Protein backbone atom coordinates (compact mmCIF):
# COMPACT_ATOMS: atom_id res chain seq x y z
CA UNK A 1 0.00 0.00 0.00
CA UNK A 2 2.90 2.21 0.74
CA UNK A 3 3.87 1.76 -2.93
CA UNK A 4 0.56 3.10 -4.17
CA UNK A 5 0.27 6.04 -1.84
CA UNK A 6 2.45 8.20 -4.03
CA UNK A 7 -0.02 8.14 -7.00
CA UNK A 8 -3.05 8.74 -4.87
CA UNK A 9 -1.78 11.71 -2.99
CA UNK A 10 0.43 13.11 -5.76
CA UNK A 11 0.35 16.97 -6.17
CA UNK A 12 -2.03 18.21 -9.13
CA UNK A 13 -0.48 20.29 -11.95
CA UNK A 14 -2.09 23.30 -13.76
CA UNK A 15 -3.89 22.54 -17.20
CA UNK A 16 -2.36 25.51 -19.12
CA UNK A 17 -5.70 27.61 -19.39
CA UNK A 18 -5.15 31.31 -18.69
CA UNK A 19 -8.37 33.30 -18.19
CA UNK A 20 -6.51 36.58 -18.55
CA UNK A 21 -5.44 35.65 -22.06
CA UNK A 22 -8.98 34.66 -22.91
CA UNK A 23 -10.32 38.02 -21.80
CA UNK A 24 -7.71 39.83 -23.84
CA UNK A 25 -8.54 37.79 -26.94
CA UNK A 26 -12.26 38.44 -26.53
CA UNK A 27 -11.64 42.16 -26.23
CA UNK A 28 -9.51 42.07 -29.37
CA UNK A 29 -12.31 40.30 -31.28
CA UNK A 30 -14.86 42.83 -30.06
CA UNK A 31 -12.63 45.70 -31.04
CA UNK A 32 -12.14 44.18 -34.52
CA UNK A 33 -15.88 43.82 -34.90
CA UNK A 34 -16.48 47.38 -33.83
CA UNK A 35 -13.78 48.59 -36.18
CA UNK A 36 -15.37 46.62 -39.07
CA UNK A 37 -18.78 48.06 -38.23
CA UNK A 38 -17.36 51.58 -38.15
CA UNK A 39 -15.74 51.04 -41.53
CA UNK A 40 -19.02 49.67 -42.95
CA UNK A 41 -20.89 52.65 -41.50
CA UNK A 42 -18.36 54.99 -43.02
CA UNK A 43 -18.69 53.29 -46.42
CA UNK A 44 -22.50 53.41 -46.18
CA UNK A 45 -22.36 57.07 -45.26
CA UNK A 46 -20.02 57.73 -48.15
CA UNK A 47 -22.34 55.77 -50.48
CA UNK A 48 -25.38 57.69 -49.26
CA UNK A 49 -23.53 60.94 -49.59
CA UNK A 50 -22.56 60.10 -53.19
CA UNK A 51 -26.15 59.07 -53.95
CA UNK A 52 -27.40 62.29 -52.40
CA UNK A 53 -24.95 64.34 -54.46
CA UNK A 54 -25.99 62.42 -57.60
CA UNK A 55 -29.68 62.89 -56.83
CA UNK A 56 -29.17 66.59 -56.18
CA UNK A 57 -27.39 67.03 -59.49
CA UNK A 58 -30.12 64.97 -61.20
CA UNK A 59 -32.78 67.03 -59.45
CA UNK A 60 -31.14 70.31 -60.46
CA UNK A 61 -30.89 69.11 -64.06
CA UNK A 62 -34.29 67.45 -64.45
CA UNK A 63 -36.64 69.31 -62.16
CA UNK A 64 -36.31 72.80 -63.60
CA UNK A 65 -39.77 74.29 -64.05
CA UNK A 66 -40.58 75.60 -67.60
CA UNK A 67 -41.73 79.21 -67.42
CA UNK A 68 -44.86 80.37 -69.20
CA UNK A 69 -44.80 83.64 -71.12
CA UNK A 70 -47.44 86.32 -71.53
CA UNK A 71 -49.32 85.79 -74.79
CA UNK A 72 -51.44 88.88 -74.37
CA UNK A 73 -54.53 86.74 -73.81
CA UNK A 74 -55.58 85.64 -70.33
CA UNK A 75 -57.42 82.58 -71.68
CA UNK A 76 -54.44 81.50 -73.78
CA UNK A 77 -52.08 82.06 -70.83
CA UNK A 78 -54.29 79.78 -68.74
CA UNK A 79 -54.35 77.09 -71.45
CA UNK A 80 -50.56 77.13 -71.77
CA UNK A 81 -50.23 77.12 -67.97
CA UNK A 82 -52.20 73.85 -67.83
CA UNK A 83 -49.95 72.33 -70.47
CA UNK A 84 -46.81 73.40 -68.56
CA UNK A 85 -48.21 71.92 -65.30
CA UNK A 86 -48.59 68.58 -67.08
CA UNK A 87 -44.99 68.92 -68.24
CA UNK A 88 -43.81 69.56 -64.65
CA UNK A 89 -45.58 66.41 -63.44
CA UNK A 90 -44.05 64.40 -66.23
CA UNK A 91 -40.57 65.73 -65.40
CA UNK A 92 -41.05 64.41 -61.84
CA UNK A 93 -41.89 60.97 -63.25
CA UNK A 94 -38.80 61.06 -65.45
CA UNK A 95 -36.65 62.04 -62.43
CA UNK A 96 -37.88 59.07 -60.39
CA UNK A 97 -37.30 56.65 -63.27
CA UNK A 98 -33.74 57.87 -63.87
CA UNK A 99 -32.94 57.99 -60.13
CA UNK A 100 -33.98 54.40 -59.52
CA UNK A 101 -31.69 53.28 -62.33
CA UNK A 102 -33.69 50.14 -63.17
CA UNK A 103 -33.84 50.96 -66.90
CA UNK A 104 -31.67 50.11 -69.87
CA UNK A 105 -29.58 52.58 -71.84
CA UNK A 106 -32.13 52.94 -74.64
CA UNK A 107 -34.91 53.85 -72.20
CA UNK A 108 -32.59 56.23 -70.37
CA UNK A 109 -31.71 58.08 -73.59
CA UNK A 110 -35.39 58.36 -74.56
CA UNK A 111 -36.27 59.82 -71.14
CA UNK A 112 -33.38 62.31 -71.35
CA UNK A 113 -34.58 63.50 -74.79
CA UNK A 114 -38.16 63.79 -73.58
CA UNK A 115 -37.05 65.85 -70.59
CA UNK A 116 -35.03 68.13 -72.86
CA UNK A 117 -38.12 68.71 -75.03
CA UNK A 118 -40.14 69.50 -71.90
CA UNK A 119 -37.52 72.08 -70.94
CA UNK A 120 -38.06 73.66 -74.39
CA UNK A 121 -41.85 73.60 -74.00
CA UNK A 122 -42.32 77.40 -73.63
CA UNK A 123 -40.39 78.04 -76.87
CA UNK A 124 -42.29 75.28 -78.67
CA UNK A 125 -45.60 76.67 -77.39
CA UNK A 126 -44.65 80.06 -78.81
CA UNK A 127 -43.95 78.51 -82.22
CA UNK A 128 -47.23 76.57 -82.05
CA UNK A 129 -49.21 79.67 -81.04
CA UNK A 130 -47.72 81.79 -83.83
CA UNK A 131 -48.35 79.15 -86.49
CA UNK A 132 -51.85 78.35 -85.28
CA UNK A 133 -52.69 82.05 -85.16
CA UNK A 134 -51.55 82.32 -88.79
CA UNK A 135 -53.90 79.45 -89.76
CA UNK A 136 -56.78 81.33 -88.13
CA UNK A 137 -55.83 84.64 -89.75
CA UNK A 138 -55.48 83.01 -93.20
CA UNK A 139 -58.93 81.42 -92.82
CA UNK A 140 -60.56 84.69 -91.76
CA UNK A 141 -58.90 86.56 -94.60
CA UNK A 142 -59.85 83.90 -97.14
CA UNK A 143 -63.51 83.82 -96.14
CA UNK A 144 -63.80 87.61 -96.01
CA UNK A 145 -62.17 88.03 -99.45
CA UNK A 146 -64.19 85.19 -100.96
CA UNK A 147 -61.26 82.84 -101.69
CA UNK A 148 -62.39 80.21 -99.13
CA UNK A 149 -65.73 78.58 -98.43
CA UNK A 150 -66.77 78.66 -94.78
CA UNK A 151 -65.78 75.64 -92.65
CA UNK A 152 -68.47 75.41 -89.97
CA UNK A 153 -66.64 72.68 -88.00
CA UNK A 154 -63.51 74.86 -87.79
CA UNK A 155 -65.49 77.91 -86.70
CA UNK A 156 -67.40 76.01 -84.00
CA UNK A 157 -64.30 74.40 -82.49
CA UNK A 158 -61.58 76.97 -83.05
CA UNK A 159 -63.13 80.41 -83.35
CA UNK A 160 -65.49 80.19 -80.36
CA UNK A 161 -62.84 80.88 -77.71
CA UNK A 162 -60.15 78.94 -75.85
CA UNK A 163 -62.72 77.15 -73.67
CA UNK A 164 -63.02 74.57 -76.46
CA UNK A 165 -59.23 73.98 -76.49
CA UNK A 166 -57.58 71.04 -74.70
CA UNK A 167 -53.81 71.12 -74.17
CA UNK A 168 -51.33 68.36 -73.37
CA UNK A 169 -47.86 67.03 -74.17
CA UNK A 170 -47.19 64.01 -76.35
CA UNK A 171 -44.93 61.02 -75.61
CA UNK A 172 -41.90 62.94 -76.85
CA UNK A 173 -42.48 66.02 -74.71
CA UNK A 174 -43.91 68.22 -77.47
CA UNK A 175 -47.11 70.28 -77.14
CA UNK A 176 -50.38 68.77 -78.36
CA UNK A 177 -53.63 70.71 -78.92
CA UNK A 178 -57.08 69.11 -79.04
CA UNK A 179 -60.60 70.47 -79.39
CA UNK A 180 -63.79 69.47 -77.64
CA UNK A 181 -66.40 67.53 -79.60
CA UNK A 182 -68.81 70.46 -79.78
CA UNK A 183 -70.60 69.23 -82.91
CA UNK A 184 -71.31 65.77 -81.52
CA UNK A 185 -69.64 63.82 -84.31
CA UNK A 186 -67.97 61.52 -81.78
CA UNK A 187 -64.40 62.48 -82.58
CA UNK A 188 -61.89 64.96 -81.25
CA UNK A 189 -59.74 66.91 -83.67
CA UNK A 190 -56.06 66.95 -82.66
CA UNK A 191 -53.24 69.21 -83.77
CA UNK A 192 -50.03 67.20 -83.27
CA UNK A 193 -46.64 68.86 -82.97
CA UNK A 194 -45.69 68.22 -86.61
CA UNK A 195 -48.73 70.23 -87.74
CA UNK A 196 -48.18 72.95 -85.14
CA UNK A 197 -44.50 73.22 -86.03
CA UNK A 198 -45.15 73.50 -89.77
CA UNK A 199 -48.32 75.59 -89.47
CA UNK A 200 -50.43 72.99 -91.30
CA UNK A 201 -54.01 72.62 -90.11
CA UNK A 202 -56.05 69.42 -89.86
CA UNK A 203 -59.11 71.08 -91.43
CA UNK A 204 -59.89 71.37 -95.11
CA UNK A 205 -60.30 74.97 -96.20
CA UNK A 206 -61.97 74.54 -99.58
CA UNK A 207 -60.79 77.20 -102.04
CA UNK A 208 -63.49 79.17 -103.85
CA UNK A 209 -62.46 79.26 -107.50
CA UNK A 210 -64.19 80.58 -110.61
CA UNK A 211 -64.54 78.09 -113.45
CA UNK A 212 -65.66 80.89 -115.77
CA UNK A 213 -62.55 82.92 -114.98
CA UNK A 214 -60.31 79.93 -115.62
CA UNK A 215 -62.08 79.27 -118.94
CA UNK A 216 -61.53 82.90 -119.95
CA UNK A 217 -57.86 82.68 -119.06
CA UNK A 218 -57.36 79.38 -120.92
CA UNK A 219 -59.08 80.62 -124.08
CA UNK A 220 -57.44 84.04 -124.14
CA UNK A 221 -54.79 82.91 -126.60
CA UNK A 222 -56.72 79.99 -128.06
CA UNK A 223 -56.69 79.93 -131.84
CA UNK A 224 -59.51 79.18 -134.26
CA UNK A 225 -59.68 76.91 -137.24
CA UNK A 226 -60.94 78.01 -140.62
CA UNK A 227 -62.39 75.54 -143.10
CA UNK A 228 -63.40 76.18 -146.69
CA UNK A 229 -65.59 73.99 -148.88
CA UNK A 230 -66.32 74.63 -152.57
CA UNK A 231 -69.37 73.42 -154.46
CA UNK A 232 -69.63 74.77 -157.97
CA UNK A 233 -69.34 78.52 -157.75
CA UNK A 234 -70.16 78.56 -154.00
CA UNK A 235 -67.33 78.81 -151.49
CA UNK A 236 -68.35 78.31 -147.86
CA UNK A 237 -66.05 79.40 -145.01
CA UNK A 238 -66.58 78.35 -141.41
CA UNK A 239 -64.41 79.55 -138.57
CA UNK A 240 -64.31 78.81 -134.84
CA UNK A 241 -62.71 76.73 -132.08
CA UNK A 242 -62.54 73.06 -133.20
CA UNK A 243 -64.63 70.71 -131.06
CA UNK A 244 -61.72 68.36 -130.28
CA UNK A 245 -59.62 71.31 -129.13
CA UNK A 246 -62.43 72.55 -126.88
CA UNK A 247 -62.81 69.07 -125.37
CA UNK A 248 -59.06 68.81 -124.73
CA UNK A 249 -58.92 72.24 -123.04
CA UNK A 250 -61.98 71.36 -120.93
CA UNK A 251 -60.33 68.13 -119.82
CA UNK A 252 -57.25 70.04 -118.68
CA UNK A 253 -59.40 72.46 -116.66
CA UNK A 254 -61.47 69.75 -114.97
CA UNK A 255 -59.01 66.89 -114.33
CA UNK A 256 -55.44 66.66 -113.04
CA UNK A 257 -52.78 64.32 -114.45
CA UNK A 258 -54.07 61.47 -112.26
CA UNK A 259 -57.60 61.84 -113.59
CA UNK A 260 -58.92 63.34 -110.36
CA UNK A 261 -61.10 66.42 -110.15
CA UNK A 262 -59.35 69.74 -109.64
CA UNK A 263 -60.40 72.08 -106.84
CA UNK A 264 -62.28 74.28 -109.30
CA UNK A 265 -64.73 71.43 -109.97
CA UNK A 266 -65.65 71.06 -106.29
CA UNK A 267 -65.94 74.83 -106.06
CA UNK A 268 -68.31 74.95 -109.07
CA UNK A 269 -70.40 72.11 -107.62
CA UNK A 270 -70.70 73.78 -104.22
CA UNK A 271 -71.55 77.21 -105.63
CA UNK A 272 -74.30 75.66 -107.76
CA UNK A 273 -75.82 73.67 -104.85
CA UNK A 274 -74.67 70.33 -106.26
CA UNK A 275 -73.12 67.38 -104.42
CA UNK A 276 -69.50 68.49 -104.07
CA UNK A 277 -68.59 65.69 -101.65
CA UNK A 278 -69.44 62.82 -104.01
CA UNK A 279 -70.38 64.24 -107.43
CA UNK A 280 -72.84 62.18 -109.46
CA UNK A 281 -72.15 61.07 -113.02
CA UNK A 282 -74.92 63.40 -114.21
CA UNK A 283 -73.36 66.39 -112.46
CA UNK A 284 -69.95 65.56 -113.95
CA UNK A 285 -71.49 65.41 -117.43
CA UNK A 286 -73.12 68.80 -116.89
CA UNK A 287 -69.80 70.39 -115.89
CA UNK A 288 -67.99 68.87 -118.86
CA UNK A 289 -70.66 70.03 -121.32
CA UNK A 290 -70.84 73.49 -119.76
CA UNK A 291 -67.06 73.89 -120.01
CA UNK A 292 -66.91 72.70 -123.62
CA UNK A 293 -69.79 75.02 -124.63
CA UNK A 294 -68.13 77.99 -122.96
CA UNK A 295 -64.87 77.30 -124.80
CA UNK A 296 -66.63 76.90 -128.16
CA UNK A 297 -68.43 80.21 -127.64
CA UNK A 298 -65.34 82.04 -126.39
CA UNK A 299 -64.42 83.05 -129.97
CA UNK A 300 -66.54 84.57 -132.69
CA UNK A 301 -68.02 82.03 -135.06
CA UNK A 302 -68.25 82.73 -138.75
CA UNK A 303 -70.32 81.11 -141.47
CA UNK A 304 -69.60 82.92 -144.74
CA UNK A 305 -70.80 81.93 -148.20
CA UNK A 306 -69.13 83.51 -151.23
CA UNK A 307 -69.36 82.98 -154.97
CA UNK A 308 -66.43 83.33 -157.42
CA UNK A 309 -67.15 85.36 -160.57
CA UNK A 310 -65.29 85.51 -163.86
CA UNK A 311 -63.59 88.77 -164.76
CA UNK A 312 -65.53 89.13 -168.03
CA UNK A 313 -68.94 89.02 -166.28
CA UNK A 314 -70.48 92.26 -165.19
CA UNK A 315 -71.46 92.90 -161.61
CA UNK A 316 -75.15 92.83 -162.55
CA UNK A 317 -74.84 89.52 -164.39
CA UNK A 318 -72.91 88.01 -161.50
CA UNK A 319 -75.53 89.19 -159.03
CA UNK A 320 -78.34 87.83 -161.19
CA UNK A 321 -76.65 84.42 -161.57
CA UNK A 322 -75.99 84.30 -157.82
CA UNK A 323 -79.65 84.93 -157.08
CA UNK A 324 -80.68 82.20 -159.50
CA UNK A 325 -78.08 79.86 -158.06
CA UNK A 326 -79.13 80.53 -154.48
CA UNK A 327 -82.76 80.10 -155.44
CA UNK A 328 -81.94 76.74 -157.03
CA UNK A 329 -80.20 75.64 -153.86
CA UNK A 330 -83.05 76.49 -151.50
CA UNK A 331 -84.73 73.36 -150.24
CA UNK A 332 -87.82 73.43 -148.19
CA UNK A 333 -86.85 72.14 -144.78
CA UNK A 334 -89.42 70.67 -142.47
CA UNK A 335 -89.28 72.29 -139.06
CA UNK A 336 -89.83 70.52 -135.77
CA UNK A 337 -88.91 70.34 -132.08
CA UNK A 338 -85.84 68.64 -130.70
CA UNK A 339 -85.35 66.88 -127.37
CA UNK A 340 -85.99 68.96 -124.25
CA UNK A 341 -82.77 69.74 -122.38
CA UNK A 342 -81.82 71.61 -119.23
CA UNK A 343 -81.08 75.29 -120.01
CA UNK A 344 -77.46 76.48 -119.80
CA UNK A 345 -75.94 79.88 -119.20
CA UNK A 346 -73.98 79.46 -122.43
CA UNK A 347 -77.23 79.36 -124.45
CA UNK A 348 -79.35 81.91 -122.57
CA UNK A 349 -76.76 84.37 -121.22
CA UNK A 350 -78.33 87.13 -119.11
CA UNK A 351 -81.81 85.60 -119.59
CA UNK A 352 -80.73 82.43 -117.72
CA UNK A 353 -81.75 83.85 -114.33
CA UNK A 354 -85.18 84.85 -115.69
CA UNK A 355 -86.11 81.29 -116.70
CA UNK A 356 -88.85 79.52 -114.76
CA UNK A 357 -87.94 76.83 -112.27
CA UNK A 358 -87.54 73.35 -113.82
CA UNK A 359 -88.32 74.77 -117.28
CA UNK A 360 -86.60 73.11 -120.27
CA UNK A 361 -84.81 74.52 -123.28
CA UNK A 362 -86.25 73.24 -126.58
CA UNK A 363 -84.06 73.21 -129.72
CA UNK A 364 -85.85 73.84 -133.01
CA UNK A 365 -84.96 71.64 -135.96
CA UNK A 366 -85.33 72.82 -139.51
CA UNK A 367 -85.82 76.50 -140.16
CA UNK A 368 -88.16 78.81 -138.29
CA UNK A 369 -87.48 82.35 -139.46
CA UNK A 370 -88.90 85.68 -138.32
CA UNK A 371 -88.87 88.61 -140.74
CA UNK A 372 -87.97 91.06 -138.01
CA UNK A 373 -87.46 91.08 -134.23
CA UNK A 374 -87.04 94.17 -132.08
CA UNK A 375 -84.84 93.95 -129.00
CA UNK A 376 -83.86 96.55 -126.43
CA UNK A 377 -80.11 97.12 -126.12
CA UNK A 378 -78.73 99.75 -123.75
CA UNK A 379 -82.14 101.36 -123.47
CA UNK A 380 -82.67 101.59 -127.24
CA UNK A 381 -84.80 99.45 -129.52
CA UNK A 382 -82.96 97.69 -132.31
CA UNK A 383 -84.53 95.60 -135.05
CA UNK A 384 -82.92 92.46 -136.49
CA UNK A 385 -84.10 91.04 -139.79
CA UNK A 386 -84.38 87.43 -140.95
CA UNK A 387 -83.91 85.96 -137.48
CA UNK A 388 -83.56 82.16 -137.42
CA UNK A 389 -84.92 80.71 -134.16
CA UNK A 390 -82.64 77.98 -132.73
CA UNK A 391 -84.10 77.44 -129.23
CA UNK A 392 -86.99 78.58 -127.10
CA UNK A 393 -87.91 78.47 -123.40
CA UNK A 394 -90.10 80.36 -120.91
CA UNK A 395 -89.48 82.93 -118.19
CA UNK A 396 -90.97 82.85 -114.72
CA UNK A 397 -93.88 85.03 -115.83
CA UNK A 398 -94.74 82.92 -118.88
CA UNK A 399 -93.02 84.92 -121.63
CA UNK A 400 -91.37 83.04 -124.45
CA UNK A 401 -87.65 83.69 -124.79
CA UNK A 402 -85.79 82.70 -127.95
CA UNK A 403 -82.18 82.35 -129.01
CA UNK A 404 -81.10 82.41 -132.61
CA UNK A 405 -79.06 84.17 -135.25
CA UNK A 406 -79.41 86.84 -137.86
CA UNK A 407 -77.31 87.71 -140.93
CA UNK A 408 -75.23 90.83 -140.85
CA UNK A 409 -73.95 92.11 -144.18
CA UNK A 410 -70.27 92.63 -144.82
CA UNK A 411 -69.00 94.18 -148.08
CA UNK A 412 -65.85 92.70 -149.61
CA UNK A 413 -64.08 92.52 -152.93
CA UNK A 414 -64.05 89.31 -154.96
CA UNK A 415 -61.00 87.55 -156.32
CA UNK A 416 -60.78 87.14 -160.08
CA UNK A 417 -59.77 83.51 -160.55
CA UNK A 418 -58.47 84.00 -164.07
CA UNK A 419 -56.18 86.94 -163.35
CA UNK A 420 -55.61 86.17 -159.66
CA UNK A 421 -56.34 89.83 -158.92
CA UNK A 422 -58.95 91.58 -156.77
CA UNK A 423 -61.96 92.88 -158.70
CA UNK A 424 -63.20 96.43 -158.26
CA UNK A 425 -66.71 95.06 -157.92
CA UNK A 426 -67.93 94.75 -154.33
CA UNK A 427 -69.81 91.75 -152.97
CA UNK A 428 -71.92 91.69 -149.82
CA UNK A 429 -71.33 88.61 -147.68
CA UNK A 430 -73.61 87.59 -144.82
CA UNK A 431 -72.13 86.75 -141.43
CA UNK A 432 -74.38 85.16 -138.78
CA UNK A 433 -74.61 86.87 -135.38
CA UNK A 434 -76.10 85.38 -132.22
CA UNK A 435 -79.00 87.00 -130.36
CA UNK A 436 -81.40 86.27 -127.47
CA UNK A 437 -84.61 88.10 -126.56
CA UNK A 438 -88.09 87.83 -125.04
CA UNK A 439 -90.86 87.92 -127.65
CA UNK A 440 -94.50 88.99 -127.57
CA UNK A 441 -97.53 86.71 -127.42
CA UNK A 442 -98.20 87.41 -131.11
CA UNK A 443 -94.72 86.29 -132.10
CA UNK A 444 -95.08 83.23 -129.86
CA UNK A 445 -98.27 82.37 -131.75
CA UNK A 446 -96.56 82.79 -135.14
CA UNK A 447 -93.72 80.50 -134.04
CA UNK A 448 -96.26 77.90 -132.91
CA UNK A 449 -97.99 78.10 -136.29
CA UNK A 450 -94.71 77.66 -138.17
CA UNK A 451 -94.07 74.57 -136.04
CA UNK A 452 -97.60 73.30 -136.77
CA UNK A 453 -98.53 73.29 -133.09
CA UNK A 454 -100.10 75.51 -130.41
CA UNK A 455 -98.66 77.80 -127.77
CA UNK A 456 -100.04 75.53 -125.04
CA UNK A 457 -98.22 72.57 -126.56
CA UNK A 458 -95.03 74.64 -126.74
CA UNK A 459 -95.32 75.42 -123.02
CA UNK A 460 -96.04 71.80 -122.19
CA UNK A 461 -93.04 70.67 -124.23
CA UNK A 462 -90.86 73.14 -122.27
CA UNK A 463 -92.29 71.87 -118.96
CA UNK A 464 -93.78 75.27 -118.18
CA UNK A 465 -96.77 74.42 -115.98
CA UNK A 466 -98.73 76.02 -113.17
CA UNK A 467 -96.16 74.66 -110.72
CA UNK A 468 -93.34 76.84 -111.95
CA UNK A 469 -95.34 79.92 -112.83
CA UNK A 470 -94.38 83.10 -110.99
CA UNK A 471 -96.89 84.49 -108.48
CA UNK A 472 -96.50 87.82 -110.17
CA UNK A 473 -98.61 88.43 -113.25
CA UNK A 474 -96.65 89.49 -116.34
CA UNK A 475 -96.77 93.13 -117.37
CA UNK A 476 -97.46 92.95 -121.06
CA UNK A 477 -96.85 96.65 -121.39
CA UNK A 478 -93.16 95.92 -120.88
CA UNK A 479 -93.01 93.57 -123.86
CA UNK A 480 -90.78 94.64 -126.66
CA UNK A 481 -92.39 95.20 -130.06
CA UNK A 482 -91.44 92.66 -132.69
CA UNK A 483 -92.76 91.74 -136.03
Amino acid sequence: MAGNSSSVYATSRPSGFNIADTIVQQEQINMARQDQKRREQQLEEQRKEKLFERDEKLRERLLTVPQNYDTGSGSLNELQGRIIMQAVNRKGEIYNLLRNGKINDQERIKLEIENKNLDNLPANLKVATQNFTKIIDDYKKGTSEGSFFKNIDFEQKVLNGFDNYLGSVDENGFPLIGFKDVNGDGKMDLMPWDNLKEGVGVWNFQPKLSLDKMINESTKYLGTEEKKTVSGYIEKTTKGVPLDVAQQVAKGLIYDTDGKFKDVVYSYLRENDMNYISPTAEDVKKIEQYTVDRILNSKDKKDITEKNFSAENSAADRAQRERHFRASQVKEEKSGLGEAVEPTKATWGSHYKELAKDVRSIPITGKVSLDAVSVKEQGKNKTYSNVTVDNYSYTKDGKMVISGSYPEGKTTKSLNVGTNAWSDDKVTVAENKKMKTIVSKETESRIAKMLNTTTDELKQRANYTSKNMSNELPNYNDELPDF
Side-chain angles (χ1 to χ4, degrees):
M1 292 185 61
N4 293 329
S5 61
S6 61
S7 61
V8 174
Y9 299 100
T11 305
S12 60
R13 297 179 181 178
S15 63
F17 172 77
N18 190 333
I19 192 170
D21 292 340
T22 300
I23 292 173
V24 170
Q25 290 176 358
Q26 187 63 42
E27 290 178 348
Q28 290 176 344
I29 292 172
N30 291 337
M31 291 178 62
R33 288 176 177 174
Q34 291 176 357
D35 188 54
Q36 177 67 24
K37 188 174 183 180
R38 279 196 304 272
R39 285 198 298 270
E40 290 176 355
Q41 289 177 343
Q42 289 175 351
L43 290 173
E44 179 64 18
E45 290 175 358
Q46 291 175 359
R47 186 184 69 81
K48 289 182 177 180
E49 185 176 348
K50 289 181 179 179
L51 285 175
F52 178 79
E53 291 177 357
R54 186 206 68 175
D55 290 347
E56 283 300 307
K57 291 181 180 179
L58 193 64
R59 185 192 304 273
E60 291 177 2
R61 184 166 62 84
L62 296 182
L63 297 185
T64 55
V65 178
Q67 298 299 312
N68 197 3
Y69 67 95
D70 186 8
T71 65
S73 167
S75 299
L76 182 55
N77 288 345
E78 183 178 345
L79 173 65
Q80 293 192 166
R82 292 196 297 268
I83 297 174
I84 289 176
M85 184 57 63
Q86 292 183 44
V88 171
N89 294 337
R90 178 56 184 164
K91 286 171 69 69
E93 294 173 357
I94 294 173
Y95 167 75
N96 289 330
L97 290 170
L98 292 176
R99 187 183 65 175
N100 292 336
K102 296 179 181 180
I103 55 176
N104 57 41
D105 291 341
Q106 186 175 359
E107 292 173 334
R108 181 181 297 276
I109 292 172
K110 184 179 183 302
L111 290 172
E112 290 281 3
I113 294 174
E114 181 183 355
N115 185 77
K116 185 65 176 177
N117 292 335
L118 292 172
D119 285 337
N120 293 331
L121 185 60
N124 290 337
L125 282 173
K126 192 169 187 177
V127 171
T129 300
Q130 291 172 344
N131 289 340
F132 196 65
T133 300
K134 185 177 184 303
I135 293 174
I136 296 174
D137 291 342
D138 289 345
Y139 172 79
K140 289 181 177 179
K141 181 180 179 182
T143 52
S144 65
E145 293 180 351
S147 58
F148 283 153
F149 286 99
K150 284 196 171 186
N151 186 311
I152 303 303
D153 182 55
F154 178 79
E155 293 188 2
Q156 288 178 343
K157 294 181 178 180
V158 178
L159 302 187
N160 280 339
F162 292 105
D163 291 340
N164 292 332
Y165 289 48
L166 302 172
S168 184
V169 290
D170 63 17
E171 60 183 3
N172 296 313
F174 292 116
L176 178 69
I177 301 297
F179 302 89
K180 294 179 181 178
D181 181 21
V182 295
N183 58 4
D185 61 0
K187 64 179 182 179
M188 179 189 295
D189 292 310
L190 296 176
M191 283 281 285
W193 169 242
D194 288 341
N195 290 72
L196 293 168
K197 179 178 61 176
E198 301 297 332
V200 179
V202 295
W203 292 273
N204 176 30
F205 297 158
Q206 184 182 351
K208 186 181 288 187
L209 305 171
S210 171
L211 179 58
D212 290 333
K213 184 177 180 180
M214 294 181 69
I215 292 174
N216 292 338
E217 289 295 324
S218 65
T219 59
K220 186 181 295 183
Y221 304 106
L222 191 63
T224 57
E225 182 180 69
E226 184 174 305
K227 288 184 179 181
K228 291 186 178 181
T229 56
V230 179
S231 176
Y233 295 103
I234 302 299
E235 184 179 89
K236 188 173 183 179
T237 302
T238 57
K239 186 177 181 181
V241 179
L243 178 60
D244 59 337
V245 173
Q247 291 172 337
Q248 190 65 30
V249 173
K251 183 179 179 181
L253 290 172
I254 296 173
Y255 300 97
D256 61 18
T257 54
D258 296 327
K260 298 179 180 179
F261 290 130
K262 291 185 175 179
D263 288 339
V264 68
V265 175
Y266 297 106
S267 180
Y268 179 87
L269 289 167
R270 189 168 181 177
E271 282 195 300
N272 288 275
D273 297 325
M274 302 162 80
N275 188 345
Y276 67 95
I277 304 297
S278 300
T280 64
E282 183 180 357
D283 289 341
V284 173
K285 187 176 181 180
K286 288 180 182 178
I287 295 175
E288 291 176 342
Q289 189 61 51
Y290 172 78
T291 307
V292 170
D293 288 343
R294 280 293 315 280
I295 295 171
L296 289 174
N297 290 289
S298 65
K299 303 292 182 180
D300 289 337
K301 294 181 179 180
K302 291 185 179 180
D303 190 354
I304 302 174
T305 301
E306 295 179 308
K307 188 174 183 179
N308 291 324
F309 303 99
S310 301
E312 65 273 12
N313 299 123
S314 66
D317 290 339
R318 288 196 298 269
Q320 182 67 24
R321 286 198 303 273
E322 182 178 3
R323 285 194 296 271
H324 286 303
F325 181 80
R326 289 184 183 275
S328 67
Q329 299 299 310
V330 173
K331 295 180 180 180
E332 185 175 349
E333 192 173 8
K334 187 177 180 181
S335 58
L337 298 176
E339 182 180 356
V341 297
E342 186 172 347
T344 63
K345 291 181 181 178
T347 299
W348 295 109
S350 61
H351 292 291
Y352 179 80
K353 294 182 178 179
E354 302 176 32
L355 298 180
K357 182 180 179 182
D358 298 327
V359 77
R360 292 293 180 262
S361 179
I362 309 297
I364 296 177
T365 60
K367 187 173 183 180
V368 173
S369 180
L370 301 173
D371 293 337
V373 174
S374 255
V375 299
K376 184 174 288 187
E377 292 183 353
Q378 298 179 350
K380 296 180 179 180
N381 288 336
K382 186 174 182 180
T383 301
Y384 296 122
S385 302
N386 299 323
V387 174
T388 299
V389 182
D390 296 330
N391 305 275
Y392 81 89
S393 189
Y394 284 92
T395 63
K396 301 170 185 175
D397 52 7
K399 296 179 182 179
M400 173 182 274
V401 57
I402 65 170
S403 71
S405 60
Y406 63 92
E408 185 175 79
K410 180 180 180 182
T411 303
T412 62
K413 291 184 177 181
S414 62
L415 181 66
N416 189 316
V417 179
T419 61
N420 197 28
W422 292 104
S423 171
D424 291 334
D425 297 323
K426 296 182 178 180
V427 178
T428 300
V429 179
E431 180 178 343
N432 287 334
K433 294 289 186 178
K434 296 290 185 181
M435 56 82 65
K436 309 168 189 69
T437 188
I438 296 172
V439 299
S440 66
K441 293 294 181 181
E442 291 79 8
T443 301
E444 179 186 4
S445 178
R446 285 197 291 273
I447 292 174
K449 185 176 180 180
M450 283 186 276
L451 291 169
N452 196 27
T453 184
T454 65
T455 56
D456 288 339
E457 289 178 348
L458 290 180
K459 287 185 173 68
Q460 185 177 5
R461 187 65 177 267
N463 194 35
Y464 182 78
T465 64
S466 59
K467 293 182 179 179
N468 50 19
M469 289 182 181
S470 172
N471 292 329
E472 298 179 2
L473 292 175
N475 184 355
Y476 295 109
N477 294 327
D478 293 338
E479 292 182 355
L480 298 174
D482 45 43
F483 305 91

